[in-house]
Amino acid sequence: MQGHDENPGRHLIAKLNAFMRTTAGSEDAINDLASRRITSLDRGQDIISEGEEPRTVNLLVSGWACRYKMMEDGRRQILAFFVPGDLADLHVYILKAIDHSISAITPIKFARLTPKEFEEISDAHPKLLRALWWESLVTDSIQREWLVSVGQRDAIESVAHLACELFVRLKTVGLADGNQCDFPLTQIDIADALGMTQPHVSRTITKLNKTGFVSLKRGKLEVKDLAKLQKLAVFNPNYLHQLYDE
Amino acid sequence: MQGHDENPGRHLIAKLNAFMRTTAGSEDAINDLASRRITSLDRGQDIISEGEEPRTVNLLVSGWACRYKMMEDGRRQILAFFVPGDLADLHVYILKAIDHSISAITPIKFARLTPKEFEEISDAHPKLLRALWWESLVTDSIQREWLVSVGQRDAIESVAHLACELFVRLKTVGLADGNQCDFPLTQIDIADALGMTQPHVSRTITKLNKTGFVSLKRGKLEVKDLAKLQKLAVFNPNYLHQLYDE
DNA sequence: CGCGCCATTGACCTATTTCAACGAGGGTGG
DNA sequence: CCACCCTCGTTGAAATAGGTCAATGGCGCG
């Protein structure tokens, strides 16, 4: 078990394949990236905290995490979920202090790259660098789509949209098993991501499950009718900027 | 009048000064950037539209614009406001299709740079390139803070927060005159940015103006008690990542 | 066994939406 | 110069999505 992972970059590799289709030469480089300074954290611990000076680029190797901001009075907004293969803040070392925190939703492992390491590897693999930029632009695009959800979608649309997004993203990195995938979010996480309250998330999930398009519960998400779920969510996958061949 | 602008990059220069304090050598380069392929648009026209292949980096030279997304059923979410000195999508040419549109809120002028021009200039001025990255990261940070507004702040907090942000940003680019600045947004724009309805924006602005901290009306924003307004808005300027010496 | 965390559910409450009417101002064409 | 229209903002009344508060129950774990 305990033995070390032969292919820790496989989720990122799978994702970049949705962009460039030619990771071939870069696969070793990515696995190399994904092996540096591996750190493990338990659920609830922060990878980085607001106000720190950013020093590393973080690649999530296993587990889920979230980016969030706390308001002074304790309100929390989750800004993004990270799943394996996701990179946090490629260029953030330019800033003096980060304006948000990232914490583990499940036990996680992540690789911490110094800007220098990162530059070396990307200098040696210009195509990879371009792909990583793409990755970063997709992350921005997801951020924008979340604003659409919170600003325009009602409760059931929002929850359905989140389910669609995470399912597609997990599928892309090879972590969906047929029509189902892990789903470790609590209702509080969902509430803080979508700007709702936890009881209302509960009621909304109940209602959503009753449609039969999906079975969403803590731990496991099962998509039973993706087309209908997407329609309900007003989900348009363009914002994920993938190549569409499946 | 009609004569051409001697210093079209001054707003961007002022903004970058809040980051690097040494635009000296780069000022000419920025003014050069801001003179390329100047385009004028009337209110309501799109700079770029969803689905297009992005080809240029756009620098807003005068007027206001907004980035927005339309849902299939016509709901609109405004994702960002652009004021003079703002750059749209530094690296977006990596993507095959943009996932949002940008349109003019007032008559605008903007410069369109090809990726090539942009690279030439930034190769010649590495410090400038770094500053432009900073600019782009601040834009991302603003995007995140908007999600906090829409997800967590109630109506009066949201509107107050938007007023704070735009006032600070305009001040940074030299477009605030003492405690007041232009404010061309309609209540519909505000509503679509904050995920509210226009009538409720109207009621909320009335209530906000009654606090006496601010006078907000179409055309002009006047800040009467910035500290109290910021407190009401739960506004923490850190997310704008400026140097704080004033 | 008991504690803590998480989800469910009910009853009530309220911020915001919805629908609709009205009014002010600015521009245009007759 | 007036009439008209169109956009934008204001306001009221009624409706509702979602919030609040609180009790209950399941379940995993020390």
Side-chain angles (χ1 to χ4, degrees):
Chain A
M1 294 290 91
Q2 195 47 335
H4 83 191
D5 191 338
E6 291 297 320
N7 197 358
R10 65 187 175 284
H11 303 116
L12 178 56
I13 291 168
K15 182 162 56 163
L16 297 186
N17 269 331
F19 170 62
M20 58 177 187
R21 277 296 123 89
T22 53
T23 1
S26 313
E27 296 207 1
D28 292 345
I30 295 172
N31 279 317
D32 188 17
L33 279 175
S35 311
R36 305 294 179 97
R37 258 180 290 287
I38 292 290
T39 307
S40 297
L41 287 183
D42 284 339
R43 176 166 126 92
Q45 294 187 291
D46 274 8
I47 297 182
I48 52 168
S49 302
E50 186 170 344
E52 281 179 17
E53 183 168 353
R55 298 227 158 279
T56 57
V57 176
N58 298 307
L59 166 60
L60 189 57
V61 172
S62 70
W64 289 39
C66 70
R67 169 184 280 145
Y68 68 97
K69 261 182 117 148
M70 297 292 301
M71 292 173 68
E72 292 157 19
D73 57 15
R75 283 176 276 181
R76 178 176 75 148
Q77 176 67 41
I78 291 182
L79 303 161
F81 291 119
F82 293 93
V83 301
D86 283 342
L87 276 156
D89 303 319
L90 228 49
H91 306 110
V92 82
Y93 53 85
I94 289 178
L95 299 177
K96 309 267 189 311
I98 18 186
D99 50 66
H100 59 263
S101 308
I102 298 183
S103 92
I105 284 177
T106 67
I108 60 171
K109 286 198 170 54
F110 63 102
R112 300 164 61 211
L113 314 170
T114 63
K116 187 148 165 284
E117 287 174 320
F118 180 73
E119 275 164 29
E120 281 167 13
I121 294 181
S122 53
D123 281 353
H125 301 269
K127 269 193 170 170
L128 175 56
L129 177 59
R130 197 178 167 83
L132 293 175
W133 260 349
W134 167 82
E135 205 276 343
S136 159
L137 293 171
V138 173
T139 301
D140 289 350
S141 179
I142 291 172
Q143 186 77 83
R144 290 191 287 270
E145 190 64 36
W146 277 40
L147 189 57
V148 177
S149 273
V150 178
Q152 304 298 326
R153 283 186 252 259
D154 67 19
I156 197 167
E157 289 172 338
S158 291
V159 174
H161 195 275
L162 181 63
C164 286
E165 177 183 307
L166 288 170
F167 179 70
V168 170
R169 286 171 56 192
L170 287 167
K171 187 152 226 171
T172 302
V173 296
L175 286 172
D177 172 20
N179 67 338
Q180 55 183 46
C181 61
D182 283 348
F183 195 85
L185 306 181
T186 65
Q187 292 183 350
I188 295 177
D189 294 328
I190 298 172
D192 288 351
L194 301 180
M196 306 168 51
T197 56
Q198 179 270 323
H200 199 235
V201 169
S202 177
R203 287 185 252 264
T204 303
I205 288 178
T206 302
K207 200 196 287 185
L208 184 58
N209 284 336
K210 277 200 194 124
T211 66
F213 305 160
V214 68
S215 158
L216 179 57
K217 50 173 181 281
R218 174 86 186 279
K220 179 117 320 209
L221 165 65
E222 195 183 340
V223 175
K224 293 173 165 163
D225 189 332
L226 183 56
K228 287 201 179 127
L229 183 63
Q230 293 189 162
K231 180 139 191 239
L232 168 61
V234 199
F235 178 88
N236 177 332
N238 289 352
Y239 76 101
L240 296 170
H241 293 277
Q242 311 203 346
L243 301 176
Y244 302 108
D245 6 350
E246 50 175 346
Chain B
M1 291 296 86
Q2 192 49 332
H4 82 189
D5 191 337
E6 290 297 323
N7 196 358
R10 64 187 177 283
H11 304 116
L12 178 55
I13 291 169
K15 182 162 57 162
L16 297 186
N17 269 330
F19 170 63
M20 59 178 187
R21 278 296 123 89
T22 52
T23 1
S26 312
E27 298 207 1
D28 290 347
I30 295 171
N31 278 318
D32 187 17
L33 279 176
S35 311
R36 306 294 179 98
R37 258 179 292 285
I38 293 290
T39 306
S40 296
L41 287 184
D42 284 338
R43 176 166 127 92
Q45 294 187 290
D46 275 8
I47 297 182
I48 52 168
S49 302
E50 187 169 345
E52 282 179 15
E53 182 167 353
R55 298 227 157 279
T56 57
V57 176
N58 298 308
L59 167 60
L60 188 57
V61 172
S62 70
W64 289 39
C66 69
R67 169 185 280 145
Y68 69 96
K69 261 183 116 148
M70 297 292 302
M71 292 173 68
E72 292 157 20
D73 57 15
R75 284 176 276 182
R76 178 178 76 148
Q77 177 67 39
I78 290 182
L79 303 161
F81 291 120
F82 293 93
V83 301
D86 283 342
L87 276 157
D89 305 317
L90 228 47
H91 306 111
V92 81
Y93 54 84
I94 289 178
L95 299 177
K96 309 267 189 312
I98 20 185
D99 49 67
H100 59 264
S101 307
I102 299 184
S103 90
I105 285 178
T106 67
I108 60 172
K109 286 198 169 56
F110 64 102
R112 299 164 62 210
L113 314 169
T114 65
K116 186 147 166 284
E117 287 173 320
F118 180 73
E119 275 163 29
E120 282 167 12
I121 293 183
S122 53
D123 281 353
H125 301 270
K127 269 193 169 167
L128 175 57
L129 177 60
R130 197 178 167 84
L132 292 175
W133 259 349
W134 166 82
E135 205 275 343
S136 158
L137 292 171
V138 172
T139 301
D140 289 349
S141 179
I142 292 172
Q143 185 77 84
R144 290 191 288 270
E145 189 65 35
W146 277 40
L147 188 57
V148 177
S149 273
V150 178
Q152 304 298 326
R153 282 185 253 260
D154 66 19
I156 197 167
E157 289 172 335
S158 291
V159 175
H161 195 275
L162 181 63
C164 287
E165 178 183 306
L166 288 170
F167 179 70
V168 170
R169 286 171 56 194
L170 287 168
K171 187 152 225 169
T172 301
V173 296
L175 287 173
D177 170 20
N179 66 338
Q180 55 183 46
C181 61
D182 283 348
F183 195 85
L185 306 181
T186 67
Q187 292 184 349
I188 294 176
D189 294 329
I190 298 171
D192 288 351
L194 300 179
M196 307 169 50
T197 56
Q198 178 270 323
H200 199 235
V201 169
S202 175
R203 289 185 251 264
T204 303
I205 288 178
T206 301
K207 201 198 284 187
L208 183 60
N209 285 335
K210 279 202 191 121
T211 66
F213 305 160
V214 68
S215 159
L216 180 56
K217 51 173 182 284
R218 175 90 185 278
K220 178 116 319 208
L221 165 64
E222 194 183 341
V223 176
K224 293 175 165 160
D225 188 332
L226 182 56
K228 286 201 180 126
L229 183 63
Q230 292 189 164
K231 181 139 191 240
L232 167 60
V234 199
F235 177 87
N236 178 333
N238 289 351
Y239 77 99
L240 296 170
H241 294 277
Q242 313 204 345
L243 301 176
Y244 301 110
D245 7 349
E246 50 175 347

